[in-house]
Amino acid sequence: MGLYNAAGARITKSAFPSAAVSDPEKKITADVYATRTHDAGTRPSDTRDSVPEGSIKTLLFKAGAIVRQSQIDKLFPAATIASISPATGPAAGGTVVTITGTNLDGVADVKFGSTTGTNLKVLSAGRLQVTTPAGAAGAVSVVVGDDAGAVTKNSGFTYA
Protein backbone atom coordinates (compact mmCIF):
# COMPACT_ATOMS: atom_id res chain seq x y z
CA MET A 1 0.00 0.00 0.00
CA GLY A 2 1.14 3.51 -0.64
CA LEU A 3 -0.08 7.00 -1.15
CA TYR A 4 0.17 8.72 -4.52
CA ASN A 5 -0.64 12.09 -6.03
CA ALA A 6 -2.85 12.62 -9.09
CA ALA A 7 0.16 12.26 -11.43
CA GLY A 8 0.98 8.85 -9.94
CA ALA A 9 4.07 9.85 -7.94
CA ARG A 10 4.43 8.24 -4.51
CA ILE A 11 3.97 10.55 -1.50
CA THR A 12 6.29 10.08 1.46
CA LYS A 13 5.39 11.04 5.02
CA SER A 14 7.85 13.95 4.99
CA ALA A 15 6.44 15.22 1.68
CA PHE A 16 2.76 14.79 2.58
CA PRO A 17 0.87 17.68 0.95
CA SER A 18 -0.38 19.65 3.93
CA ALA A 19 0.03 23.03 5.53
CA ALA A 20 -0.34 24.35 9.04
CA VAL A 21 -3.62 26.12 9.69
CA SER A 22 -4.32 29.03 11.96
CA ASP A 23 -7.69 27.55 12.95
CA PRO A 24 -6.79 25.14 15.77
CA GLU A 25 -8.95 22.26 16.86
CA LYS A 26 -10.60 22.41 20.28
CA LYS A 27 -11.95 19.55 22.36
CA ILE A 28 -15.34 20.27 23.89
CA THR A 29 -15.17 19.41 27.60
CA ALA A 30 -18.90 19.63 28.45
CA ASP A 31 -22.15 19.28 26.52
CA VAL A 32 -23.11 22.62 24.94
CA TYR A 33 -26.72 23.47 24.15
CA ALA A 34 -28.22 26.18 21.96
CA THR A 35 -31.58 27.67 22.87
CA ARG A 36 -34.15 29.51 20.82
CA THR A 37 -37.61 30.79 21.60
CA HIS A 38 -40.69 28.97 20.42
CA ASP A 39 -42.14 30.19 17.16
CA ALA A 40 -45.81 30.98 17.75
CA GLY A 41 -46.60 30.39 14.06
CA THR A 42 -50.22 29.54 13.31
CA ARG A 43 -52.10 27.97 16.18
CA PRO A 44 -55.54 26.39 16.41
CA SER A 45 -58.21 28.79 17.65
CA ASP A 46 -59.01 26.61 20.66
CA THR A 47 -55.64 27.19 22.40
CA ARG A 48 -55.79 29.40 25.46
CA ASP A 49 -52.37 30.94 25.07
CA SER A 50 -51.18 32.14 21.67
CA VAL A 51 -47.52 32.36 22.76
CA PRO A 52 -45.88 29.23 24.21
CA GLU A 53 -43.65 29.62 27.24
CA GLY A 54 -39.98 28.71 27.49
CA SER A 55 -37.53 27.88 24.80
CA ILE A 56 -36.31 24.96 22.73
CA LYS A 57 -32.96 23.51 23.82
CA THR A 58 -30.88 21.60 21.27
CA LEU A 59 -27.59 19.77 21.82
CA LEU A 60 -25.03 21.69 19.79
CA PHE A 61 -21.79 19.94 20.80
CA LYS A 62 -21.39 16.72 22.77
CA ALA A 63 -18.57 16.54 25.30
CA GLY A 64 -15.52 15.03 23.62
CA ALA A 65 -16.32 16.45 20.18
CA ILE A 66 -13.47 18.07 18.27
CA VAL A 67 -14.31 21.37 16.57
CA ARG A 68 -12.36 24.19 14.97
CA GLN A 69 -11.93 27.49 16.81
CA SER A 70 -13.71 29.21 13.89
CA GLN A 71 -16.86 27.18 14.64
CA ILE A 72 -16.81 28.41 18.23
CA ASP A 73 -16.13 32.01 17.13
CA LYS A 74 -19.24 31.97 14.91
CA LEU A 75 -21.34 31.32 18.02
CA PHE A 76 -20.29 34.68 19.50
CA PRO A 77 -21.08 37.36 16.89
CA ALA A 78 -20.02 40.91 17.68
CA ALA A 79 -22.57 43.29 19.13
CA THR A 80 -23.79 46.27 17.14
CA ILE A 81 -25.11 49.62 18.35
CA ALA A 82 -28.04 51.02 16.38
CA SER A 83 -29.19 53.75 18.77
CA ILE A 84 -28.59 55.29 22.18
CA SER A 85 -31.48 57.00 23.93
CA PRO A 86 -31.33 59.51 25.42
CA ALA A 87 -28.12 60.61 23.74
CA THR A 88 -27.63 63.55 26.11
CA GLY A 89 -27.47 63.83 29.89
CA PRO A 90 -26.00 65.81 32.74
CA ALA A 91 -22.26 65.78 33.45
CA ALA A 92 -23.09 64.54 36.96
CA GLY A 93 -24.11 61.20 35.42
CA GLY A 94 -27.09 59.14 36.54
CA THR A 95 -28.92 59.08 33.20
CA VAL A 96 -30.52 55.71 32.44
CA VAL A 97 -29.64 55.06 28.80
CA THR A 98 -31.22 52.45 26.53
CA ILE A 99 -28.96 51.00 23.85
CA THR A 100 -30.53 49.12 20.96
CA GLY A 101 -28.70 46.98 18.42
CA THR A 102 -27.95 43.32 17.85
CA ASN A 103 -26.18 40.60 19.84
CA LEU A 104 -26.32 42.70 23.01
CA ASP A 105 -27.17 39.72 25.25
CA GLY A 106 -23.47 38.99 25.82
CA VAL A 107 -22.47 42.54 26.78
CA ALA A 108 -20.54 42.62 30.05
CA ASP A 109 -19.79 46.35 30.27
CA VAL A 110 -20.57 49.71 28.70
CA LYS A 111 -18.10 52.59 28.81
CA PHE A 112 -18.83 56.25 28.32
CA GLY A 113 -15.48 57.60 27.25
CA SER A 114 -13.09 55.68 29.49
CA THR A 115 -15.48 55.29 32.44
CA THR A 116 -17.71 52.25 32.91
CA GLY A 117 -21.43 52.76 33.33
CA THR A 118 -23.32 51.19 36.24
CA ASN A 119 -26.46 49.12 36.74
CA LEU A 120 -26.12 47.30 33.42
CA LYS A 121 -29.31 45.38 32.59
CA VAL A 122 -29.46 43.24 29.46
CA LEU A 123 -33.14 43.30 28.51
CA SER A 124 -32.88 41.21 25.33
CA ALA A 125 -30.50 40.43 22.51
CA GLY A 126 -31.48 43.76 20.98
CA ARG A 127 -31.75 46.06 23.99
CA LEU A 128 -29.95 46.93 27.22
CA GLN A 129 -30.01 49.68 29.83
CA VAL A 130 -27.12 51.25 31.69
CA THR A 131 -26.67 54.27 33.95
CA THR A 132 -24.14 56.87 32.85
CA PRO A 133 -21.18 57.71 35.10
CA ALA A 134 -20.14 61.32 35.71
CA GLY A 135 -18.20 62.87 32.85
CA ALA A 136 -16.85 66.13 31.49
CA ALA A 137 -19.11 68.23 29.26
CA GLY A 138 -18.96 67.19 25.62
CA ALA A 139 -19.43 64.17 23.37
CA VAL A 140 -17.90 60.82 24.30
CA SER A 141 -17.71 57.47 22.58
CA VAL A 142 -19.91 54.68 23.89
CA VAL A 143 -18.18 51.29 23.94
CA VAL A 144 -19.96 48.00 24.56
CA GLY A 145 -17.74 45.07 25.49
CA ASP A 146 -18.61 41.40 25.04
CA ASP A 147 -16.97 38.04 24.29
CA ALA A 148 -16.41 39.04 20.65
CA GLY A 149 -14.59 42.26 21.58
CA ALA A 150 -15.52 45.92 21.86
CA VAL A 151 -17.85 47.90 19.60
CA THR A 152 -17.70 51.69 19.60
CA LYS A 153 -20.27 54.34 18.72
CA ASN A 154 -18.20 57.52 18.28
CA SER A 155 -19.78 60.58 19.91
CA GLY A 156 -22.59 58.31 21.06
CA PHE A 157 -23.41 60.28 24.20
CA THR A 158 -23.07 63.96 25.05
CA TYR A 159 -22.64 65.27 28.57
CA ALA A 160 -24.34 68.66 28.96
Side-chain angles (χ1 to χ4, degrees):
M1 178 181 137
L3 299 176
Y4 299 87
N5 65 19
R10 187 168 194 285
I11 299 171
T12 63
K13 183 176 181 180
S14 63
F16 193 84
S18 65
V21 295
S22 60
D23 190 7
E25 292 181 333
K26 300 285 186 165
K27 184 175 183 177
I28 306 298
T29 58
D31 291 348
V32 176
Y33 293 86
T35 59
R36 64 179 174 85
T37 58
H38 285 280
D39 181 12
T42 56
R43 303 180 60 81
S45 61
D46 63 343
T47 59
R48 290 182 279 151
D49 190 359
S50 65
V51 180
E53 294 180 20
S55 59
I56 297 170
K57 184 166 92 170
T58 306
L59 180 63
L60 189 60
F61 298 115
K62 182 93 174 125
I66 305 295
V67 299
R68 294 265 179 211
Q69 180 65 50
S70 60
Q71 288 177 276
I72 296 169
D73 292 345
K74 287 178 186 176
L75 299 173
F76 298 93
T80 64
I81 301 171
S83 68
I84 299 169
S85 179
T88 305
T95 303
V96 177
V97 171
T98 299
I99 298 175
T100 60
T102 60
N103 305 315
L104 297 172
D105 49 342
V107 170
D109 67 0
V110 177
K111 292 184 179 178
F112 294 82
S114 61
T115 308
T116 303
T118 59
N119 302 321
L120 173 64
K121 293 178 186 157
V122 176
L123 304 172
S124 69
R127 196 168 71 128
L128 61 80
Q129 286 183 331
V130 63
T131 303
T132 61
V140 295
S141 295
V142 176
V143 181
V144 295
D146 67 7
D147 291 333
V151 176
T152 302
K153 177 106 172 158
N154 292 323
S155 300
F157 188 81
T158 302
Y159 285 105

